[in-house]
Amino acid sequence: MTARIGVVTFPGSLDDRDTQRAIRVAGAEPVALWHKDKDLKQVDAVVLCGGFSYGDYLRAGAIARFSPVMDTVIDQAKAGLPVLGICNGFQILTEAHLLPGGMLGNDHLHFICRDQKLRVENADTAWTTDYTAGQEIHIPLKNMDGRYVADQRTLDELEAEGRVAFRYVDFNPNGSLNDIAGITNAAGNVVGLMPHPEHAVEPLIGTGRTDGLPFFTSILKKLVNA
């Protein structure tokens, strides 16, 4: 049976089609989910894709967090449903308190778009098992509000519990504390990151590498072996 991975589209989402394609390339079935629907169509996992949901009014992800679909996503994520938040999706996950901390504007106050080197810090989450800890990968990055912040106690907990999933290497593109590019919840089923793995699954697009594909093969293997 083919694993079904839902991709939520909010008003202002930009990367839902790219994310669906990445899921298809990995061998799973992408399922389009609309922000007004509470029904997740019996998917096995969910991706909150990148973009500028609701125009990033108030704060990035602040309005999308209250979309009807998020009530179901929050409940099911707490029950173990794998959820990946990419860029704006990461922002939504922090606004929904599925992940700690928050996102502020880049410290240089400019939109940034570049190929970014990351180090995989946690290869034990539902979305990272096809990586190895310490592996360095290149993933496209594009954001305006990508600066990860949290109080010192939260940062200490993330570091002590191994919940920093990805870290920027060589260059911190947005001023994120501790060079954090992505984090996971304690259970490892919810992961958020600012760079865009869906843009690095085929050699003809993005970085010209396939460093983002293991996100989608990791979750596929977890679902198949569950």
Side-chain angles (χ1 to χ4, degrees), residues 11-28:
S13 293
L14 299 179
D15 300 304
D16 43 354
R17 297 296 181 90
D18 301 67
T19 304
Q20 290 174 27
R21 179 172 178 80
I23 291 167
R24 195 174 292 112
V25 169

Side-chain angles (χ1 to χ4, degrees), residues 7-20 34 48-56 86-89 92 111 142-144 196 198-199:
V7 179
V8 180
T9 299
F10 299 93
S13 293
L14 299 179
D15 300 304
D16 43 354
R17 297 296 181 90
D18 301 67
T19 304
Q20 290 174 27
W34 185 236
L48 305 180
C49 65
F52 300 90
S53 59
Y54 295 92
D56 279 350
I86 302 171
C87 196
N88 191 228
I92 294 169
F111 181 87
K142 51 177 187 177
N143 64 70
M144 180 68 190
H196 287 259
E198 78 279 12
H199 296 326

Side-chain angles (χ1 to χ4, degrees), residues 169-192:
V169 176
D170 295 340
F171 172 71
N172 185 325
N174 43 39
S176 291
L177 297 179
N178 292 22
D179 297 326
I180 290 174
I183 61 175
T184 178
N185 67 343
N189 64 303
V190 179
V191 172

Side-chain angles (χ1 to χ4, degrees), residues 53-137:
S53 59
Y54 295 92
D56 279 350
Y57 290 113
L58 300 182
R59 290 183 309 276
I63 299 177
R65 174 262 177 272
F66 292 101
S67 290
V69 72
M70 286 305 299
D71 291 337
T72 310
V73 169
I74 291 169
D75 288 343
Q76 294 200 19
K78 290 179 179 179
L81 179 74
V83 178
L84 174 65
I86 302 171
C87 196
N88 191 228
F90 185 13
Q91 296 160 344
I92 294 169
L93 289 177
T94 62
E95 291 288 340
H97 303 298
L98 287 174
L99 291 175
M103 313 301 297
L104 296 178
N106 298 340
D107 59 353
H108 45 73
L109 303 181
H110 295 286
F111 181 87
I112 189 168
C113 182
R114 56 172 277 135
D115 291 344
Q116 178 67 47
K117 183 190 286 188
L118 307 176
R119 183 170 60 248
V120 180
E121 302 283 21
N122 186 331
D124 295 322
T125 78
W127 299 92
T128 59
T129 54
D130 268 359
Y131 293 110
T132 57
Q135 181 179 353
E136 293 186 353
I137 60 177

